[in-house]
Amino acid sequence: MKRKLFSPVLILLLTITLITGSYGQKNRAYSKNYDIIIKNAIIYDGSGSRAFKSDVAIKDELIVKIANPIKGTAQRTINAKGLYISPGFIDLHTHAERNMYFPEQRPALNYLKQGVTTLIVGQCGQSAWNIFEKAEDQIRRWSQEGIGPNAALLAGHGTIRNIVLGTENRPPTAQELEKMKALVKEAMEQGASGLSTGLIYLPGRYAKTDEVIELVKVIAPYGGIYHTHIRNERNLLLTAIKEAMQISRQTGVPAHISHFKVMGKNNWGLVKKACTLIEKARAEGLKITADQYPYRFANGNPYRSMIPSSTWYSQGDNERLSSNDIKTIFSHLRDHELIELYKKVTPYFPLNEHHKQFLEDLSRDRLVQYVGQNLINPGYFRGPENPRERMLFLKRMTDPEEGEKIRRQVHAYIENLVGFENFVVGICTEKTYEGKSIKEVAALMGKAPADAAIKLELMGAKCIPLQMCEDDIEYIMQKDYVGTGSDGTTPYFGIGLTHIRSYSTFLNKINKYALQRKIVSVSHVIRSQTSLPAKIMNFKDRGWIKAGYKADIVVFDLNDLKIKTSISNPHQYSEGVRYLIINGKLVLDKGKFTGKLPGKVLTLHKN
């Protein structure tokens, strides 16, 4: 009798083993293949092309697969049916670093809610780090403690000039210029992405073109970019743009024009000639680009007095508190006494070693000035809320001749600036005036426009001059070399007056100009906020929905974008971003902040 090779029990066990083994192998192949899968999405990939449907898989910070469908499982699967995705938005111009120094503002929630995943900081000549620190300090702080969006840092010409020359209105000596160049080089070696100027601000406006050229030459070997708040955004716009081109031409460094616009109604339309200049230069091989924010009003605090300072104060009045008075107040104190007072008001406390060294290195005169300006701001003692100045102004108004002179000056000031029809009431105790122009309010009051403006000023109304025109905004927006930059900050939510651009720039551009007005396509706007700024900043692995690129992705409801900000209520988060992924980590989940801070400091050496 032959022995049975396999018993029924053994056969059963082998069968089970083979089946489970096969299943286990198959399951392992598909189990947790990815960290995140976004399914059923409509994708704008950043190219400017039309959207397409697909799934996207993410693993270890990267986009690893784009296919329809993607099989397999993930730690998290997002059903994006009816939603759109694009690369995370890149803000080419922000001042977010000011408050992001402090842990409370590190998430930059106002930007996350707009779908922004990367911020370019250190603009308008102000370095992305404090005057008493270095680039490496900010990079170390943010890298160790975390930030919400990514950030690329610029060295600020104004900060560097202030360190070396203070606020003196003169060219640097040869020795001083070398010191400035050394500071620029140091910043680039530590990871800065370029240099910014604010040639309209102090002390930047004191710099001649050749000074800027010498400093920009320093960033050339590193592949840096030159960002500039040009010297004039009004009637001398063309001259200012030519200066930026000259700097680029003589250094070989790409020049990027910040918040491209023209201000003042007498200058509206000049942007067309400016664009012609830029396009001619680009055709010749110069790398000239720009960014814009889609609003008609400017300045971080856009609310502006309707009475010019030269009118508010009587001519020859030397009885106002001045910076020299403040200097006199503190000049008798010893150095250590000044520093002890400074410690009681600076938010950068306790003082680190760089901060202490900075104070110790200041000359006596600059120490008094620096401490004094941190302790007392002359602006706190000016304006209609100050009883003394209010009384003096009203006394002048009672004089028939002087009162009529004031009215004429107010009328001329507003007409030359923007016109009464373009000066809008933002915040007022009389709520019916909010959102109306001074011209409209004057009609409601039954007063002459200048008298209405004076009355609004005295009742504490906050008004905004619309210094740009829609035609110019729309013309600039259509250019393929113009990206998006909010020029915003990370304001404390609900505190103080701020520009709505900090809360709504990116979604507003899509909603108003692509969906509603149809000035540009959605894909055009997406490109201006993703792949174009990535190319401008020389980011090699961001700004696209592509396999191998960093997983910075925004998932949004194109049919339900809510721009909630207004000039009467600027502190309002935008809505419509359902999910936001930064470096592969989910930062917004169903519109809510997850608490994660996965942002990285992006340098020219390593992203």
Side-chain angles (χ1 to χ4, degrees):
M1 182 176 180
K2 293 183 179 179
R3 182 180 293 177
K4 292 182 179 179
L5 294 176
F6 298 102
S7 69
V9 174
L10 184 59
I11 291 172
L12 179 61
L13 288 173
L14 285 170
T15 302
I16 292 171
T17 300
L18 288 170
I19 292 172
T20 55
S22 175
Y23 176 81
Q25 288 179 351
K26 186 176 181 181
N27 190 50
R28 282 193 296 274
Y30 286 100
S31 176
K32 313 304 180 191
N33 305 75
Y34 311 108
D35 297 328
I36 299 173
I37 294 178
I38 306 171
K39 299 191 74 67
N40 307 310
I42 306 170
I43 300 175
Y44 286 103
D45 64 5
S47 66
S49 300
R50 296 179 65 179
F52 60 93
K53 291 183 179 181
S54 188
D55 297 349
V56 177
I58 298 165
K59 189 172 180 63
D60 298 331
E61 299 190 1
L62 299 177
I63 299 169
V64 293
K65 192 171 186 179
I66 302 166
N68 190 15
I70 291 177
K71 295 181 179 180
T73 60
Q75 297 290 336
R76 176 67 185 274
T77 298
I78 296 171
N79 185 358
K81 186 175 182 180
L83 301 178
Y84 292 73
I85 78 170
S86 83
F89 302 144
I90 299 172
D91 193 327
L92 279 164
H93 186 104
T94 84
H95 298 277
E97 75 281 355
R98 296 175 186 174
N99 283 343
M100 283 179 68
Y101 179 96
F102 306 103
E104 178 188 358
Q105 297 303 89
R106 296 274 169 77
L109 190 57
N110 57 306
Y111 282 107
L112 300 183
K113 291 280 190 175
Q114 298 179 64
V116 174
T117 57
T118 300
L119 306 171
I120 315 303
V121 296
Q123 299 285 356
C124 297
Q126 295 180 317
S127 291
W129 49 94
N130 289 309
I131 192 171
F132 49 80
E133 292 189 328
K134 299 180 182 296
E136 63 184 6
D137 297 311
Q138 189 76 294
I139 292 171
R140 184 184 306 111
R141 179 183 302 114
W142 285 355
S143 298
Q144 292 177 354
E145 299 176 18
I147 50 177
N150 305 304
L153 283 58
L154 300 175
H157 162 259
T159 300
I160 289 168
R161 198 177 209 275
N162 201 356
I163 291 171
V164 178
L165 278 80
T167 56
E168 295 185 42
N169 183 6
R170 62 174 178 82
T173 64
Q175 184 178 9
E176 288 169 337
L177 183 60
E178 287 305 311
K179 186 174 181 180
M180 292 169 69
K181 290 165 69 174
L183 288 171
V184 175
K185 182 177 181 179
E186 177 184 71
M188 298 302 293
E189 289 286 340
Q190 292 178 3
S193 293
L195 180 74
S196 76
T197 56
L199 300 179
I200 200 170
Y201 301 120
L202 293 177
R205 74 172 68 161
Y206 295 149
K208 306 297 183 186
T209 307
D210 57 353
E211 174 185 320
V212 179
I213 288 172
E214 289 304 306
L215 297 180
V216 174
K217 283 179 181 177
V218 176
I219 73 174
Y222 299 91
I225 182 171
Y226 172 56
H227 287 244
T228 178
H229 181 143
I230 55 178
R231 207 175 289 271
N232 188 289
E233 295 178 324
R234 295 181 181 274
N235 60 315
L236 297 179
L237 175 69
L238 302 184
T239 301
I241 287 177
K242 287 176 182 177
E243 181 183 32
M245 292 175 180
Q246 179 187 353
I247 292 167
S248 177
R249 185 174 286 108
Q250 293 188 220
T251 62
V253 172
H256 183 78
I257 299 168
S258 298
H259 37 66
F260 183 29
K261 60 184 179 293
V262 69
M263 303 170 71
K265 69 174 185 178
N266 293 332
N267 304 312
W268 292 348
L270 198 55
V271 295
K272 294 180 180 178
K273 292 183 178 180
C275 287
T276 299
L277 276 177
I278 293 171
E279 287 154 20
K280 182 179 179 182
R282 284 171 58 83
E284 295 169 355
L286 281 185
K287 294 181 179 179
I288 308 293
T289 54
D291 62 66
Q292 74 166 164
Y293 52 82
Y295 299 100
R296 292 188 61 193
F297 45 101
N299 302 322
N301 178 350
Y303 306 89
R304 185 161 173 173
S305 173
M306 292 159 284
I307 303 175
S309 58
S310 59
T311 299
W312 177 258
Y313 306 113
S314 59
Q315 295 298 318
D317 181 8
N318 296 317
E319 297 182 0
R320 294 160 48 209
L321 188 69
S322 68
S323 56
N324 285 332
D325 293 327
I326 294 170
K327 198 172 178 181
T328 300
I329 292 169
F330 295 104
S331 61
H332 69 285
L333 297 175
R334 297 189 178 113
D335 287 6
H336 76 275
E337 292 173 318
L338 286 167
I339 292 172
E340 286 305 310
L341 279 175
Y342 172 74
K343 287 179 180 178
K344 294 179 179 180
V345 297
T346 180
Y348 308 109
F349 186 82
L351 274 59
N352 61 32
E353 291 306 312
H354 283 159
H355 200 164
K356 292 175 185 176
Q357 191 63 52
F358 169 78
L359 294 171
E360 290 173 4
D361 289 346
L362 290 175
S363 66
R364 169 67 186 178
D365 188 62
R366 286 193 64 193
L367 178 63
V368 173
Q369 181 186 43
Y370 186 76
V371 172
Q373 71 187 20
N374 276 274
L375 287 165
I376 301 177
N377 183 345
Y380 296 154
F381 303 92
R382 298 174 184 171
E385 66 274 16
N386 182 277
R388 170 190 169 89
E389 294 199 344
R390 187 183 184 96
M391 177 190 67
L392 291 173
F393 179 79
L394 288 172
K395 184 178 179 180
R396 290 167 57 214
M397 284 294 294
T398 60
D399 179 272
E401 185 176 340
E402 182 69 9
E404 186 55 34
K405 178 181 175 182
I406 289 171
R407 292 183 182 91
R408 288 197 306 270
Q409 290 177 345
V410 169
H411 191 279
Y413 166 70
I414 292 177
E415 276 297 330
N416 289 332
L417 183 65
V418 294
F420 287 97
E421 71 279 9
N422 292 308
F423 217 131
V424 180
V425 179
I427 302 171
C428 186
T429 53
E430 184 62 62
K431 296 300 178 185
T432 57
Y433 295 161
E434 290 184 350
K436 293 182 172 62
S437 68
I438 299 176
K439 183 178 180 179
E440 292 171 321
V441 172
L444 292 174
M445 288 182 175
K447 293 179 177 291
D451 286 308
I454 293 169
K455 183 174 178 60
L456 285 167
E457 186 82 17
L458 292 173
M459 65 192 291
K462 304 298 181 184
C463 301
I464 292 179
L466 305 180
Q467 299 199 65
M468 289 81 79
C469 70
E470 281 290 354
D471 286 347
D472 286 351
I473 292 170
E474 293 173 0
Y475 186 82
I476 291 170
M477 188 176 294
Q478 296 174 62
K479 300 300 180 180
D480 63 4
Y481 51 85
V482 175
T484 307
S486 68
D487 200 6
T489 63
T490 46
Y492 294 106
F493 187 69
I495 302 297
L497 299 175
T498 190
H499 198 298
I500 63 176
R501 63 195 182 193
S502 293
Y503 287 97
S504 53
T505 290
F506 289 81
L507 298 187
N508 178 62
K509 188 172 179 180
I510 296 171
N511 194 54
K512 180 177 179 179
Y513 293 95
L515 298 179
Q516 295 178 10
R517 298 175 69 94
K518 302 188 186 304
I519 300 301
V520 287
S521 66
V522 173
S523 59
H524 177 94
V525 177
I526 296 294
R527 176 184 173 274
S528 79
Q529 300 180 169
T530 56
S531 67
L532 175 61
K535 183 178 181 181
I536 289 169
M537 293 303 301
N538 201 26
F539 298 153
K540 301 295 187 182
D541 56 0
R542 298 177 195 271
W544 291 80
I545 302 293
K546 282 184 179 180
Y549 274 59
K550 294 291 185 181
D552 291 350
I553 297 174
V554 55
V555 183
F556 57 99
D557 188 341
L558 192 61
N559 300 310
D560 192 28
L561 300 180
K562 294 179 181 176
I563 316 303
K564 303 178 74 174
T565 53
S566 72
I567 58 176
S568 301
N569 193 6
H571 290 280
Q572 295 290 313
Y573 292 121
S574 295
E575 295 180 3
V577 174
R578 299 291 185 256
Y579 303 91
L580 189 67
I581 299 166
I582 299 177
N583 294 313
K585 300 293 189 296
L586 199 58
V587 179
L588 293 185
D589 189 348
K590 297 180 181 177
K592 294 182 179 180
F593 179 47
T594 64
K596 294 180 180 178
L597 300 174
K600 296 183 177 182
V601 177
L602 309 182
T603 69
L604 287 176
H605 314 300
K606 183 180 179 181
N607 285 357

